[in-house]
Amino acid sequence: MAPMHQAPPIARSPAFAILATVQATLIFTIALITVPLPIIAGEFGLTAADLLLVLAAYGLPFSGLLLFGGRLADRFGGRRMFAIGLIVFGVASAIAALAPSYRVLVAMRLLQGVGGAMVAPAALAVLRALFPEPAAFGRAMVTWGGVSVLGAVLGFIVSGVLTSWISWRWMFAVPVAVSLLGLSASAGLLPRGVSESTERRPGLDPVGAVFATLGISLSSFALIATDDHGWRSAMVLVPLLAGLVLLAAFFAIERRVRDPLLPPGFILEPVRLTGLFGMFLAAAGSGVVNFVLSLYLQQVLGWSPFMTAMAFLPFAVALIAMGRAAGPLVGRFGPARMTGIGLLIAAVGLALLTQIAPDTRYLPGLLPGIVLVAVGISFAFSGSAVLSTANVPQNRAGLAGGVMNTAMELGPTVGLAILMAVAATQIDTVAGYAWAFGTAAVAYLVAALLSFASGRRIAATATHPAE
């Protein structure tokens, strides 16, 4: 008879499908607001600063609270926090769809982020209980790694379609429906985690949680604000410096408490560090390609939101196809080497996109680079997800999920801020886009070489899904 916290084998496939759908939807919800921002601005009479807050309202609490969400999952159990987070996430999504004002919309986006920060690490804690064997968990993480980036692309596509055909408010129907699906499965289909049974439950570390949340949120807001304000402006410098000071204080606090929110050395293990860096870069590349090309297609080529959304369908198809192929490849080459291969392929795709010009045509000029980037980041996500969660005991699965999702969320924020600053050095907008792609390509190439080198050093300890 299986232990109480372990699901019977027959339940694994549907349970994994539900968990993966929820994870994809959490990332989907970040991207769904991007395309209809001009329409929302017109409906509520918003300024550029207002739009910035609408765009950032979900991601700030989501990224800032993920570490604490991981601790809650390890403390009170993954399945319990999964259900509570989905209730918060679903209710906030339903109210956002009916929002009568800008303030209500922003408040509900913030609440969505709080719910999402509880759900994401809890889902990984449940997944760890669903696959207690290290090899089986490694195989599951190969697929899990591609789920999130697919959610971001699908969010962009679906928002473009719904905005063009119905209303931006219908975009929130997806997170509501998925929340109901996850809740319906949480009691009977998903396994209990070890924190709900016999293992010692870690303390909450509330002081560390406050410093980490404020530090990450303020730093992220400052980087997002660089889209509308210069790096030397008070709107950027004040929250950025405050956030960095708080993060420095957080790491100092973590060395002194009994149950640290982020145990010293947890993210510095060679296997995990390689995976988190790969996750960060893969997420950054996806965000940059989506953001820059959406601007180019609409502002330079004059495409409609619907046509712009359709332009990313090949990106989504490539992600799905390569996600299915990633399992055997990661098993054959190992996760570190596969991460390097993915980053190298994506670097080639980004290099092709540096040829962008005001008259570049989609099929011959953009599509090859888009597809190669999708193939590369799919491989990189799959390998990085395995490395990020390698050798994690079940009672720290929530922590691993919080750390991994934090790297995933910070990637687009930090990457976009840096690369758009590079683009701003050029007088011509399109030339700036080319410079941004070129800079990203160089960063990916360097990271690929580091991943290959790391793979040789950690081959003895990295988890290979094929084992």
Side-chain angles (χ1 to χ4, degrees):
M1 181 175 178
M4 289 186 67
H5 63 269
Q6 180 178 337
I10 193 171
R12 287 186 175 186
S13 294
F16 178 82
I18 290 171
L19 291 171
T21 300
V22 170
Q23 172 68 11
T25 303
L26 297 178
I27 310 302
F28 169 101
T29 305
I30 299 174
L32 64 79
I33 206 73
T34 305
V35 174
L37 277 178
I39 297 174
I40 295 173
E43 182 171 330
F44 291 131
L46 305 182
T47 65
D50 294 333
L51 284 179
L52 176 64
L53 189 54
V54 172
L55 184 64
Y58 176 81
L60 290 179
F62 187 35
S63 59
L65 286 168
L66 277 168
L67 288 178
F68 190 56
R71 172 51 52 90
L72 291 174
D74 291 336
R75 176 75 172 86
F76 297 109
R79 189 175 67 177
R80 183 179 295 122
M81 294 311 304
F82 182 76
I84 294 173
L86 280 179
I87 292 172
V88 175
F89 182 70
V91 170
S93 300
I95 298 175
L98 304 172
S101 67
Y102 158 72
R103 287 187 176 87
V104 173
L105 179 60
V106 170
M108 290 306 103
R109 289 282 287 169
L110 287 166
L111 194 58
Q112 278 184 316
V114 173
M118 289 189 280
V119 174
L124 192 61
V126 175
L127 185 69
R128 186 67 181 85
L130 188 67
F131 297 97
E133 308 90 354
F137 181 63
R139 288 192 294 269
M141 288 309 299
V142 171
T143 302
W144 193 263
V147 161
S148 299
V149 67
L150 180 61
V153 177
L154 290 179
F156 186 82
I157 293 173
V158 171
S159 66
V161 172
L162 292 180
T163 299
S164 301
W165 287 0
I166 310 177
S167 166
W168 63 268
R169 295 178 181 272
W170 279 93
M171 299 181 305
F172 293 101
V174 176
V176 171
V178 171
S179 296
L180 292 174
L181 174 66
L183 286 170
S184 67
S186 62
L189 190 60
L190 302 182
R192 293 199 306 167
V194 294
S195 295
E196 295 173 79
S197 52
T198 59
E199 294 287 328
R200 175 188 175 273
R201 301 180 180 186
L204 289 180
D205 186 17
V207 176
V210 170
F211 275 78
T213 300
L214 291 177
I216 293 173
S217 297
L218 285 172
S219 301
S220 297
F221 178 81
L223 293 172
I224 293 170
T226 58
D227 287 343
D228 295 311
H229 304 276
W231 282 85
R232 297 181 180 179
S233 69
M235 184 65 73
V236 173
L237 279 179
V238 172
L240 181 60
L241 292 176
L244 292 176
V245 169
L246 287 168
L247 287 176
F250 165 70
F251 286 111
I253 290 170
E254 295 305 275
R255 294 179 177 275
R256 293 172 172 80
V257 296
R258 179 189 175 194
D259 284 315
L261 188 67
L262 182 62
F266 182 80
I267 62 174
L268 297 179
E269 295 179 19
V271 174
R272 198 163 349 274
L273 188 61
T274 299
L276 293 174
F277 186 53
M279 186 71 68
F280 174 89
L281 280 180
S286 176
V288 167
V289 169
N290 290 342
F291 182 79
V292 171
L293 289 184
S294 65
L295 289 179
Y296 173 79
L297 293 173
Q298 293 183 79
Q299 296 180 356
V300 179
L301 298 187
W303 287 27
S304 67
F306 176 76
M307 289 301 298
T308 300
M310 291 300 98
F312 287 92
L313 270 178
F315 194 97
V317 171
L319 286 176
I320 295 171
M322 293 303 104
R324 294 181 64 87
L329 292 174
V330 173
R332 178 179 179 182
F333 295 107
R337 187 178 299 175
M338 201 62 204
T339 299
I341 292 172
L343 292 172
L344 188 60
I345 294 172
V348 175
L350 289 165
L352 292 178
L353 290 175
T354 61
Q355 305 304 310
I356 192 171
D359 58 349
T360 299
R361 297 169 62 187
Y362 174 76
L363 284 177
L366 299 180
L367 186 58
I370 290 174
V371 171
L372 281 176
V373 170
V375 171
I377 64 174
S378 180
F379 289 160
F381 262 113
S382 296
S384 297
V386 176
L387 294 170
S388 299
T389 55
N391 308 320
V392 172
Q394 292 189 15
N395 62 354
R396 281 192 173 183
L399 170 63
V403 170
M404 186 180 75
N405 279 279
T406 300
M408 192 187 310
E409 289 308 305
L410 291 179
T413 303
V414 177
L416 271 177
I418 294 174
L419 292 176
M420 295 314 291
V422 171
T425 62
Q426 303 299 305
I427 298 177
D428 180 73
T429 299
V430 178
Y433 294 161
W435 271 81
F437 286 135
T439 303
V442 172
Y444 268 49
L445 179 60
V446 172
L449 296 176
L450 292 175
S451 294
F452 291 136
S454 297
R456 289 192 293 269
R457 290 198 303 269
I458 65 178
T461 57
T463 300
H464 288 233
E467 293 175 352

